[in-house]
Structure formats: C-alpha cells, structure tokens
Amino acid sequence: MTAPQAQLWAGWTETEAAKRAALLDVESYDVFLDLTAGLDTVRSRTQIRFRCRVPGGATYADVSAPTVSRVVLNGADLDPGTAVSDGRLRLQGLTLSNVLTVDAEFPYSADGRGLWRCADPADGAVYVLGNCFPTHAPRVFCCFDQPDIQADLTLAVSAPAGWDCVANGSMTSRPPVGQAGVWRFATVPAMKPYELALCAGPFVTVSQQEYHGTGGAVQLSVRCRPTLAGSAGMERAAGLVRQALAFYERLLAVACPYPTYDIVFAPELGPLAVSLPGVMMVSETLLQRAADPGDDFFALVLAHETAHLWFGCLVEGRWWDDLWLA
C-alpha cells in the first residue's frame, strides 16, 4: 500500500498532516461516551489539551458528526455552524497552551466502523462495539487523527444496567453490579486516536488469569455473549495468547506494553481479529476453529494479533502507508 504525499487518506493530505504535527503537541484526550442516549445515536464529549508551537496559529481538529452542539476553545464558545464543515473543526488564534471541548452526537454505523450496535438473535440482547482503526476515530470523538500525533487517552462510558464494558485501559471504577452508570478506565499513554476500542453489552467472562512476564503481571480475560459461553475453545484462546506474549517478550526483550489484555469474541466484527492497546477483538466466526486443538490457523491469528501490541501499538509509522512495517 502506497500513498503519494498529496494523496487524500482520511479527508486531508499527508502534507496537511505533516504541518499539523509540526504545529501541535497534543497532551491528552478525555473522552466521555453516553451509550444510553438512544437506539440511533451516542453522545460524545471530548476535552483535548494541546500546545501550539506558534502563538496565534491556526489548524483543524477532526470530527465527523452530523450534530455538534457545543465547541469551547480556551473558555470561549465557538459557533459550530461556522467552525465545523466537511469533518473539520477549524481552530484559530491558538495560544501556547490550549483546551478544546466538543459535545457532539454520532450515529451508530451500519458498516462496522467506528461504533456499531448489534443484537443477539438468540436472546435479543444488545451490544455496542467500537473499532476506530484505521481512520474512523472522528466518527466517535473529536480528535487529531493521524499516526504521528499521540496523546494520553482517558475514557469514561455511561452504559445501561446489566452491561459489562471493556476498553483500552484497565477499569478503575464501575457502577454497582446490575445497575446503570459510568464505567471509568485508566489513562493509556501515547495512544493514536484510531486505537480507541470499546466492547459493551451483557458480556460474560469465561476465563480470567494472570500472565507473569518480564514486566510484571498482565491481566488476561476472555469474554463472549452469554449464549456462546459454552463454546469449546475459550480457554484455548487464553492459553495461546499467554504463549504468544512469552514468545514476543523473549524475542524482542521488551515487556508487554500494557497491564491488561482483554480478548473479546465480538459479534459482527468485519476482520477475523483486530488488536489494539489492551484489547483483542476476535470474530465469532472463529469459534468453531478455536475448539479444534489441531487447528493451527486459529493459533496463527491470535499470535499475529498479539504481535501488534508491539508492532502497531507500541511502535507505529509516521503515516498510514507505513503500516506494512507492522
């Protein structure tokens, strides 16, 4: 995959992105997602702290929302109707240190990109999945979405009663069991916006264990829909990931970069699997192969995805056409 310098990738050119990366130092994202807003939309609030190397400079943030209800830059309200167009939030008169807050509503996608909803055909239970890779973060929250702009990311999610939530960071607080409320996750350092991952719904945990590696304990879990909890192969998944973690730590002499690694068998996932910081989503279509201890393909998929904790998550290229390096 190649991309000439002036080729559009995700609504902007590589040249534009290079100018933005040279201008900004993004420090943090605080993202709040309200999954109780309704069947069709999710409410999103993002606070971004960033520095501008040229006082008075101008740039843009990325937000692909049909409804942006409020934009506040350094305490001043901007008119969303004039500041936002074609997926860009135009920012002017930046200071050395800036705080941007954006409230928006995003529709659930119908193509399995960004955030999407699906229902278990067996019991009707609803699930929300979030996969922003490779260019879909602006469909979930306001951000500066390019590989070479990384920042600490902290996520909070408001979810209905009876749901479980998994995201990139370790869960730090949750509502009482069986009650609706807010799930909060630990800050994950140096994340690309498109690495945000979310699995929310009445998932059950079928395996939970610790991997003791060179950098300390890594909490491993395997989750799935309750109607699939009896499927063979769930424990095999955890065992294969443990082996892969140990192999890469020996090979690379670098400890697993994340304290948790949650494996979720995800409904209606497009790719066979995807690995993002702290989360691996696996297509339910692999469950039959997972149950066969002699099926090397399932082991290959999980080993490949585990490698992305180092290649793609910990280390990434400057632009999307560097993805072959991962």
Side-chain angles (χ1 to χ4, degrees), residues 3-268:
Q5 188 175 27
Q7 180 179 339
L8 285 172
W9 179 269
W12 54 92
T13 67
E14 185 176 1
T15 300
E16 288 178 303
K19 290 180 179 178
R20 186 165 67 171
L23 182 66
L24 302 182
D25 178 16
V26 182
E27 298 169 342
S28 66
Y29 294 98
D30 281 284
V31 181
F32 174 74
L33 301 177
D34 185 358
L35 306 184
T36 67
L39 296 177
D40 299 322
T41 60
V42 55
R43 284 197 292 263
S44 170
R45 168 172 287 183
T46 309
Q47 185 179 86
I48 311 173
R49 296 183 180 274
F50 64 98
R51 298 183 64 80
C52 178
R53 297 183 177 93
V54 180
T59 188
Y60 60 94
D62 310 308
V63 56
S64 299
T67 303
V68 177
S69 55
R70 192 179 186 196
V71 177
V72 181
L73 176 63
N74 297 331
D77 282 276
L78 306 184
D79 178 8
T82 57
V84 181
S85 63
D86 298 326
R88 298 188 180 198
L89 167 56
R90 289 162 179 80
L91 306 171
Q92 298 178 338
L94 297 174
T95 60
L96 285 174
S97 183
N98 303 273
V99 180
L100 172 66
T101 303
V102 178
D103 290 327
E105 289 190 3
F106 297 86
Y108 289 105
S109 76
D111 57 8
R113 299 171 180 175
L115 288 177
W116 71 96
R117 288 169 60 97
C118 53
D120 188 328
D123 62 8
V126 174
Y127 296 81
V128 172
L129 285 301
N131 175 20
C132 296
F133 185 84
T135 59
H136 308 299
R139 298 169 65 174
V140 178
F141 65 105
C142 182
C143 57
F144 300 101
D145 192 30
Q146 57 190 78
D148 58 348
I149 295 184
Q150 304 173 16
D152 296 350
L153 192 149
T154 307
L155 178 66
V157 178
S158 178
W163 280 27
D164 184 22
C165 292
V166 170
N168 305 95
S170 306
M171 188 265 293
T172 58
S173 66
R174 53 162 296 167
V177 176
Q179 296 184 22
V182 177
W183 296 68
R184 300 187 186 279
F185 299 91
T187 300
V188 181
M191 272 185 59
K192 284 77 74 178
Y194 56 74
E195 290 178 328
L196 184 141
L198 176 66
C199 300
F203 288 104
V204 293
T205 301
V206 295
S207 178
Q208 197 161 17
Q209 52 188 271
E210 284 188 345
Y211 163 73
H212 293 276
T214 58
V218 177
Q219 304 297 320
L220 294 176
S221 75
V222 180
R223 288 173 168 84
C224 67
R225 293 184 283 136
T227 54
L228 299 176
S231 302
M234 297 289 183
E235 285 290 343
R236 183 178 178 225
L240 289 169
V241 169
R242 288 172 61 92
Q243 293 177 51
L245 288 172
F247 172 78
Y248 293 123
E249 286 193 340
R250 290 195 305 270
L251 178 68
L252 302 171
V254 176
C256 176
Y258 306 99
T260 59
Y261 200 26
D262 294 305
I263 305 155
V264 182
F265 283 87
E268 299 186 13

Side-chain angles (χ1 to χ4, degrees), residues 3 76 100 309-310:
L100 172 66
L309 294 180
W310 287 266

